Amino acid sequence: MTRSPPLVAIALLAWLLAGSLAAGAAEPPAPEVRIGSKKFTESVVLGEIALHLTRSAKVRAVHLRELGGTRILWNALLKGEIDIYPEYTGTLRQEILSGLDIRTADALERALADRGLRASRPLGFNNTYALGMLPAMADRLGVEKISDLVRHPGLKFGFSNEFIDRGDGWPSLRRRYGLPQAEVRGLDHDLAYRGLMGGGIDVIDLYATDAEIAYYGLTVLTDDLRHFPAYDAVYLYRADLTARAPGAVAALLRLEGRIGQAAMTAMNAEVKLKGVAETKVAARFLAKTLGLDVTAPVEGFFARLWRRTVEHLTLVAISLSAAIVLSIPLGVIAARRRTLGQVILAVVGVIQTIPSLALLVFMIPLLGIGGPPAIVALFLYSLLPIVRGTYTGLHDIPLPIRTSAEALGLAPAARLRLVELPMASRAILSGIKTSAVINIGTATLGALIGAGGYGQPILTGIRLDDVNLILEGAVPAALLALIVQGMFELAERLLVPKGLRLSADS
Amino acid sequence: MLELIDVAKSFGPTRALAPLSLEIRPRKTTVLIGPSGCGKSTLIGLMNGLIRPDRGSVLFDSTAVTAANSALIRRRMGYVIQDGGLFPHLDAGANVTLMARHIGWPKAKIEARLEELADLTRFPRDALARYPVQLSGGQRQRVSLMRGLMLDPEILLLDEPLGALDPMIRSELQTDLKAVFEALNKTVVLVTHDIGEAGFFADVIVLMREGAIVQTGTLRDLVDSPADPFVTRFINAQRAPFDALRGGPQ
């Protein structure tokens, strides 16, 4: 005689336990200063430099690398999710604060102060936008200046996505020069060089300090109508940081005027062309320029694999546990109430169709950056398979069995616990398994909003065009999905009652 | 004991039961019989509240069966359906004892009762650990009967309990089932469409047609003084095994 275990409760407890353990392991002492960087090499290098500097001033600092585009960083700074990030004056004036028509450095300082922010003085290089072409084509068409492009409407333009949308980017450049080109595609900046070399596109946008300009010997078109403003690099930081961590600010300001155009371009080249880690490049620069002896703590392969595994599992475990807790009752309601059930299934179905990237970005204004928005997004994606599994499992119980349970005199709640949920356990578990696998895959996108995990090396690998780095994230993610799938097969043996397994085999 | 007063039931536009009244006599076996769709299964469903009447009332032990009290009242009524309706995720023993465990019977009492029932229904004890899918059709019905009797109910309701069994097992189970009824001396209501089976079990036969009761009485009453030509037609419709040899009705 066997007693059917309260299966769902056991499954839940196991996941919650795993989730909280992982979360506990991932929690280092709270940092005093959070540095952010955009998802391109120069920004990451400047972020690493700021990290070394603040740490050398004995401040507990962390660097949230590759958080995304300008909007994400700016909003994160305003909300206090981060304290420092590298920015460019042109971006501040023309894009972020474009409504204010800021003309002088004083005006910019006042505008920032109004928002509780400060900027360092320029670091010493101007990373302006430019347009570039392969020299052979530029020579053949006789193109030297941007205004020469007007004569060649058939040229294919490939611009970074941010450039296409920015106020100081393509829309105003096109108006200013009266450019007629119709074929303008948005793509990742780091991939644009490949597109240019491959011949798929003819003209791309450049950052003046990109290492690839010299490497590929590109022709940089003269901005003859002086459309692009100066993009002097500065560190933006929260004004309250001066009181909170004066050492950090003082250390940071030592860099004012110390990074020249050539030095920055060389650092970009070291990372992108020679594959040196950003943290090493930053440390070498500080040693040379400020005589600062910072040993860049290089994390070993297994250490970073472990850290990312913990980060990834934390995202998955918390979001999946929460989804299980909500989805099973929703599935029960859906199976019991016909109309409400259709509404529930429709709503969780619609959530599933929202593009994951869009959902992640949509979460930022509500929850900021890092783990929480990623967890909420993953939670939402995990609902449908579990709700559906529960609904289907309950719905498919044969009528004579339901009648028998009722005729025994079991109250509805007891029928659910003793008969219906155990009988639906296989379908519920299979829904949870599907959710877990989808969740593990989707969690790699969490790196885009600073949630870490296996997505981080994938993101960096795409930026650096480094397949090994991409695999360092993709392979563990795939393995984790397989392991979790295997664990669920095992769980099925433990949690699905023997009688049901026998029925399925016969 | 159990009384149905002026009950009627329709499913959508289909009338399953015309207003009718019926009193089930205590410690007797009452058999509801009639052709398919005559309302006999609806009638037994009304008795334990699985089906609510559109009008009229069902009294059990002088108490009206309502939506609120039916779960408790059902614990005093055993119920066996065609093919058992056993819970596939529980082994035979767990199927039988589910309700007793749920309401907190002590373990020793449960064990003792289970052994007693296994002996009563002639179910092999070592098969109690088997799952429904591992049991034969006849064994499943014995488990279903044990489950219905576990809480020692005052009345046993059986809805075509032997309908899905082959003739030999059916006959064997009929014999065993009758022995159980006689041993327990309980009130029994059994639904069947087989007049031979009805005659074998019944103290009282209730013959139904199109949602109404045509005649109530013993098999002898039905044969000797049919209330309606339909009664005779129904009884004669059943072919006896040796009709063909005797050149009887084909």
Side-chain angles (χ1 to χ4, degrees):
Chain A
M1 187 164 76
T2 57
R3 206 172 247 277
S4 89
L7 321 158
V8 181
I10 291 174
L12 280 183
L13 277 177
W15 264 110
L16 286 172
L17 197 65
S20 52
L21 281 179
E27 208 72 65
E32 298 164 279
V33 173
R34 291 159 175 270
I35 300 156
S37 60
K38 301 189 197 178
K39 60 184 273 312
F40 57 86
T41 299
E42 183 168 295
S43 194
V44 177
V45 171
L46 290 174
E48 282 297 303
I49 290 177
L51 179 70
H52 289 318
L53 268 176
T54 44
R55 280 192 176 161
S56 72
K58 304 277 177 271
V59 176
R60 267 202 317 281
V62 289
H63 179 196
L64 303 166
R65 309 154 58 103
E66 300 167 284
L67 283 181
T70 299
R71 279 286 147 198
I72 293 178
L73 273 294
W74 173 255
N75 286 326
L77 187 68
L78 285 180
K79 286 189 69 175
E81 304 262 348
I82 54 175
D83 303 302
I84 301 170
Y85 84 91
E87 190 47 283
Y88 304 91
T89 53
T91 305
L92 282 167
R93 288 184 196 179
Q94 304 292 323
E95 167 68 8
I96 299 173
L97 303 170
S98 59
L100 301 181
D101 193 24
I102 294 166
R103 291 175 190 274
T104 65
D106 283 351
L108 180 59
E109 200 180 316
R110 277 197 304 277
L112 289 175
D114 288 347
R115 288 161 179 77
L117 306 179
R118 285 185 195 164
S120 70
R121 276 184 283 139
L123 303 180
F125 65 93
N126 170 16
N127 189 5
T128 186
Y129 271 117
L131 298 189
M133 296 174 73
L134 290 179
M137 179 179 276
D139 288 349
R140 185 156 53 78
L141 301 176
V143 175
E144 290 174 356
K145 323 184 282 295
I146 295 180
S147 52
D148 293 337
L149 292 172
V150 178
R151 288 183 280 117
H152 303 283
L155 287 174
K156 288 169 285 185
F157 288 2
F159 294 145
S160 50
N161 291 308
E162 185 167 327
F163 182 78
I164 286 188
D165 294 331
R166 280 171 64 131
D168 55 347
W170 171 239
S172 59
L173 182 75
R174 166 184 230 166
R175 274 198 305 277
R176 184 70 188 262
Y177 283 94
L179 295 174
Q181 281 76 10
E183 196 174 346
V184 180
R185 262 184 290 176
L187 72 171
D188 191 87
H189 184 60
D190 298 294
L191 301 178
Y193 287 104
R194 300 184 117 199
L196 189 66
M197 301 313 290
I201 43 182
D202 304 319
V203 180
I204 64 171
D205 60 319
L206 308 170
Y207 304 130
T209 51
D210 279 352
E212 290 90 339
I213 298 173
Y215 182 76
Y216 293 119
L218 300 184
T219 300
V220 178
L221 307 184
T222 313
D223 181 13
D224 49 330
L225 296 185
R226 303 185 63 80
H227 169 71
F228 294 120
Y231 289 82
D232 291 318
V234 296
Y235 281 113
L236 276 186
Y237 57 95
R238 292 180 59 83
D240 58 20
L241 197 61
T242 319
R244 234 170 351 109
V249 175
L252 200 64
L253 298 185
R254 289 175 69 191
L255 278 176
E256 290 177 336
R258 299 305 292 267
I259 312 179
Q261 196 94 5
M264 192 66 239
T265 309
M267 284 195 278
N268 287 336
E270 276 202 87
V271 175
K272 292 207 69 172
L273 304 178
K274 294 188 192 147
V276 184
E278 291 92 349
T279 186
K280 261 192 197 155
V281 172
R284 279 189 212 156
F285 171 81
L286 288 172
K288 206 167 66 186
T289 316
L290 300 180
L292 212 60
D293 179 24
V294 288
T295 41
V298 178
E299 207 178 11
F301 175 77
F302 289 104
R304 57 180 194 265
L305 187 66
W306 171 246
R307 174 175 53 80
R308 287 178 195 139
T309 304
V310 169
E311 287 169 353
H312 209 91
L313 274 178
T314 307
L315 295 179
V316 172
I318 296 176
S319 60
L320 190 62
S321 306
I324 293 171
V325 170
L326 183 68
S327 299
I328 294 178
L330 279 181
V332 170
I333 295 169
R336 293 230 160 142
R337 307 270 176 112
R338 183 184 281 268
T339 317
L340 188 58
Q342 291 310 312
V343 173
I344 289 172
L345 291 173
V347 169
V348 295
V350 164
I351 291 174
Q352 203 75 10
T353 65
I354 303 173
S356 34
L357 205 54
L359 187 59
L360 283 173
V361 172
F362 177 72
M363 288 294 158
I364 294 173
L366 304 173
L367 294 163
I369 54 168
I375 286 169
V376 171
L378 291 173
F379 158 78
L380 290 172
Y381 281 125
S382 301
L383 294 176
L384 179 65
I386 309 176
V387 172
R388 253 212 179 276
T390 310
Y391 168 80
T392 311
L394 293 175
H395 200 258
D396 289 352
I397 296 174
L399 184 64
I401 289 170
R402 269 186 270 185
T403 307
S404 291
E406 207 179 337
L408 277 181
L410 288 169
R415 286 208 296 275
L416 189 66
R417 182 168 59 84
L418 297 171
V419 177
E420 294 171 358
L421 282 180
M423 286 201 62
S425 57
R426 181 187 292 271
I428 296 174
L429 261 181
S430 134
I432 295 175
K433 180 168 69 178
T434 307
S435 271
V437 172
I438 292 177
N439 194 313
I440 288 166
T442 312
T444 55
L445 292 174
L448 279 173
I449 55 173
Y454 293 140
Q456 192 73 59
I458 298 178
L459 207 61
T460 310
I462 292 172
R463 171 166 64 78
L464 299 179
D465 194 14
D466 182 338
V467 175
N468 287 336
L469 211 47
I470 294 176
L471 291 179
E472 200 177 310
V475 171
L479 283 178
L480 184 62
L482 282 176
I483 291 170
V484 167
Q485 176 138 3
M487 278 170 49
F488 272 101
E489 310 279 335
L490 210 67
E492 214 170 275
R493 300 201 160 276
L494 296 174
L495 295 182
V496 174
K498 187 177 169 204
L500 292 181
R501 280 182 279 126
L502 289 170
S503 313
D505 294 343
S506 64
Chain B
M1 175 82 237
L2 186 61
E3 210 176 340
L4 295 96
I5 303 163
D6 207 19
V7 290
K9 181 69 189 178
S10 294
F11 296 105
T14 318
R15 196 172 74 167
L17 276 185
L20 62 81
S21 297
L22 177 67
E23 190 177 347
I24 303 297
R25 290 163 56 193
R27 305 200 180 280
K28 299 286 179 197
T29 297
T30 303
V31 173
L32 308 180
I33 191 168
S36 294
C38 70
K40 56 192 190 291
S41 284
T42 306
L43 199 57
I44 207 171
L46 286 175
M47 292 178 190
N48 65 355
L50 285 177
I51 300 172
R52 317 282 329 151
D54 296 335
R55 52 172 284 191
S57 52
V58 178
L59 297 184
F60 176 66
D61 203 10
S62 308
T63 310
V65 177
T66 64
N69 68 10
S70 61
L72 280 175
I73 282 181
R74 282 181 206 136
R75 296 180 189 177
R76 297 162 62 192
M77 300 175 158
Y79 187 66
V80 177
I81 59 175
Q82 186 170 332
D83 211 23
L86 297 182
F87 305 128
H89 63 292
L90 300 177
D91 64 26
N95 259 284
V96 174
T97 59
L98 176 72
M99 202 59 206
R101 282 182 282 128
H102 179 61
I103 60 177
W105 276 24
K107 199 166 178 172
K109 184 179 172 190
I110 292 175
E111 290 294 332
R113 177 72 178 154
L114 183 60
E115 285 177 14
E116 184 186 350
L117 287 172
D119 294 346
L120 179 72
T121 59
R122 306 208 309 128
F123 185 82
R125 284 190 192 181
D126 58 358
L128 286 172
R130 294 204 197 130
Y131 287 91
V133 71
Q134 299 168 314
L135 299 173
S136 70
Q139 285 176 322
R140 280 205 286 271
Q141 281 314 74
R142 290 178 201 271
V143 175
S144 187
L145 179 64
M146 284 195 271
R147 187 173 69 180
L149 290 172
M150 182 69 195
L151 300 186
D152 197 16
E154 291 143 73
I155 182 166
L156 191 57
L157 308 175
L158 305 100
D159 190 357
E160 305 213 30
L162 310 175
L165 301 173
D166 71 56
M168 303 232 349
I169 297 181
R170 189 183 171 100
S171 161
E172 185 189 323
L173 259 163
Q174 281 170 342
T175 310
D176 287 353
L177 203 53
K178 182 152 186 180
V180 170
F181 294 166
E182 281 166 0
L184 297 177
N185 195 24
K186 285 189 191 297
T187 309
V188 174
V189 179
L190 185 141
V191 168
T192 181
H193 54 256
D194 178 342
I195 189 73
E197 188 169 286
F200 180 70
F201 284 120
D203 297 308
V204 181
I205 295 177
V206 178
L207 177 62
M208 297 181 68
R209 181 198 192 187
E210 290 172 3
I213 295 173
V214 181
Q215 187 168 4
T216 304
T218 60
L219 182 61
R220 172 76 35 215
D221 296 337
L222 266 62
V223 172
D224 292 351
S225 41
D228 189 289
F230 170 76
V231 177
T232 310
R233 274 210 322 278
F234 184 83
I235 293 172
N236 290 339
Q238 196 122 8
R239 217 178 292 286
F242 302 109
D243 280 354
L245 295 180
R246 285 200 301 258
Q250 291 289 314

